[in-house]
Amino acid sequence: MSTDGVRPAPTALPHAALAVQRYGAAGTTWLDAMWRADPLADAVVADSAGAGAAQAVRAMMTDGIGAVADPPETVQALLAQLTREPEWLDRDRLDRAADVLVRYTAQWGLVLGAASLLRGADNWIAAKPLLLTGRYGHQPAVRSIEVGSWLSQVVRRGGMALDAPGFQHTVRVRMIHAHVRRFIRRTVVDWDEPAWGVPIPQPYMAFTLAEFGHVSLAAMADLGVRLRDDELTDIYHLWRYVGHVIGVEEALNPTCEADQVRIEELYALTSPGPDAYSREFVRALTEDYLAPQLATMLPGPAAFRSTLAVRTMYGMTRVFLGDEASDALEVPDGRAKHVVRALRPALFAADQARLLLVGRERATRRGYAARDRELARLKAEQAMEHDLVDAVPGAVGATA
């Protein structure tokens, strides 16, 4: 503890002084929040042994808030925060954002893997909880589909209404985070809090919003998707509300594109970089899941399609992440990245023609149908009978 009462930054984070120098109060808030997690959700999990909190939250996440009878004080506090709608919330904007994103189901699904998940992998401290719970580097397809299951409920009209599936799934994700923190604190004797901060801290929760927001939107632009300003602001509004429900503090919850960009920059600046497990995850996600999916859409013999798909996926990752981050993650370099960049004008023209010929409303309806159909196909392909990890018996955070 410093003489002014402010706890110094975790020692494993580089460039802490530079973060404050460059970003001022936002940098200080970022570093201070490495010591904060989610007090409301953590209290519920800590209370679950004998106070009925686990049963109350399970009822809320499956049967609705009205099914929670005489909840313990910890659950009451969580419910009060979840049901208090922020003054800034505009639910019509949430629906409009969902329609825009689903209109680009194919592009968004691609960049969520090749850009968003891999951008997060460039920080071994952030990835450490997944590694400790056995969720890192193993079954990357299953993990990706779990993310897709959550997003499919969030990104739909009315999805984030109180008690709607997207709202309930987001509360489930919040409780999964709390269970992971409890698991680490109770069973992992070598979690180095002075060096790493608390498990799943506020800054990394905020960065997740940027992964699904600006990181994916910027990558979609590399694939020729050009959204209007009003469409972009609606999407950022959606993720702001998701941040509220998932437990991100108001001071860190991004309200706009500039906030998300700053979060990305602070995440990168203070990241200790990837480790061997991060690189293993990149290889597994790309070669065992993303590339095989892309190969099914390419022409030619199987061996040719497989090789071309891997090179193309790595090329796209290079475009999305940049060469410096890609080098750190040991993403193979090659000519594919230049091809991806060269195709951007043609992809943009094709998208504009699609919207002109089909119309936005029909494209939206087709997008919802295609997404649900594709998610069902992927789950069947992996023999998945669950949606989120909390439905897997024996997994950390399982509610069964």
Side-chain angles (χ1 to χ4, degrees), residues 174-229:
R174 183 174 184 173
M175 299 312 299
I176 291 168
H177 290 167
H179 278 285
V180 169
R181 280 189 290 265
R182 185 179 188 226
F183 168 81
I184 290 173
R185 286 165 172 159
R186 294 183 64 182
T187 64
V188 179
V189 296
D190 60 346
W191 181 269
D192 192 349
E193 186 166 308
W196 306 337
V198 300
I200 316 181
Q202 282 287 324
Y204 295 166
M205 292 165 61
F207 176 73
T208 299
L209 303 175
E211 285 184 286
F212 297 122
H214 179 261
V215 171
S216 69
L217 293 171
M220 285 166 64
D222 285 323
L223 295 180
V225 175
R226 186 178 301 172
L227 301 180
R228 302 190 310 259
D229 289 344

Side-chain angles (χ1 to χ4, degrees), residues 41-110:
D42 291 343
V44 171
V45 170
D47 192 27
S48 64
Q55 292 85 346
V57 172
R58 195 152 55 237
M60 176 181 66
M61 293 187 299
T62 55
D63 301 322
I65 293 171
V68 181
D70 192 24
E73 290 185 3
T74 54
V75 178
Q76 290 181 34
L78 178 62
L79 282 172
Q81 187 268 329
L82 286 170
T83 57
R84 184 177 62 252
E85 292 200 354
E87 293 181 359
W88 46 260
L89 177 62
D90 182 341
R91 292 196 174 275
D92 288 339
R93 297 182 67 187
L94 306 185
D95 291 343
R96 293 199 299 266
D99 286 351
V100 172
L101 288 171
V102 82
R103 210 174 288 150
Y104 294 96
T105 290
Q107 296 94 325
W108 200 42
L110 182 63

Side-chain angles (χ1 to χ4, degrees), residues 152-368:
S152 72
Q153 301 300 334
V154 169
V155 182
R156 67 174 63 245
R157 284 189 159 265
M160 287 301 292
L162 294 181
D163 279 348
F167 178 87
Q168 292 177 336
H169 274 62
T170 303
V171 175
R172 287 173 63 187
V173 172
R174 183 174 184 173
M175 299 312 299
I176 291 168
H177 290 167
H179 278 285
V180 169
R181 280 189 290 265
R182 185 179 188 226
F183 168 81
I184 290 173
R185 286 165 172 159
R186 294 183 64 182
T187 64
V188 179
V189 296
D190 60 346
W191 181 269
D192 192 349
E193 186 166 308
W196 306 337
V198 300
I200 316 181
Q202 282 287 324
Y204 295 166
M205 292 165 61
F207 176 73
T208 299
L209 303 175
E211 285 184 286
F212 297 122
H214 179 261
V215 171
S216 69
L217 293 171
M220 285 166 64
D222 285 323
L223 295 180
V225 175
R226 186 178 301 172
L227 301 180
R228 302 190 310 259
D229 289 344
D230 63 302
E231 293 174 328
L232 291 169
T233 56
D234 285 343
I235 292 170
Y236 290 120
H237 191 77
L238 168 64
W239 290 114
R240 184 183 183 186
Y241 184 56
V242 171
H244 171 80
V245 175
I246 214 167
V248 179
E249 297 174 0
E250 196 67 25
L252 278 168
N253 194 11
T255 67
C256 59
E257 179 178 337
D259 285 352
Q260 292 205 1
V261 170
R262 182 173 61 249
I263 285 171
E264 291 173 45
E265 292 171 350
L266 281 164
Y267 183 85
L269 180 64
T270 60
S271 168
D275 61 5
Y277 294 101
S278 302
R279 299 181 184 102
E280 176 189 346
F281 174 72
V282 171
R283 287 192 298 272
L285 180 65
T286 303
E287 298 181 13
D288 298 343
Y289 176 58
L290 296 175
Q293 294 301 321
L294 178 61
T296 63
M297 297 181 282
L298 299 176
F304 169 79
R305 288 188 286 112
S306 177
T307 300
L308 179 60
V310 170
R311 289 177 179 173
T312 301
M313 288 307 311
Y314 279 135
M316 282 192 282
T317 297
R318 283 252 162 200
V319 172
F320 300 155
L321 303 189
D323 285 329
E324 183 177 355
S326 297
D327 287 343
L329 289 167
E330 296 182 354
V331 175
D333 203 351
R335 291 177 292 180
K337 66 182 181 184
H338 303 300
V339 175
V340 173
R341 292 191 181 105
L343 285 174
R344 186 186 306 167
L347 292 171
F348 168 71
D351 179 58
Q352 294 301 299
R354 173 183 73 106
L355 294 178
L356 183 63
L357 292 172
V358 175
R360 291 178 182 271
E361 289 189 8
R362 185 179 296 179
T364 301
R365 291 195 299 271
R366 289 182 176 181
Y368 280 115

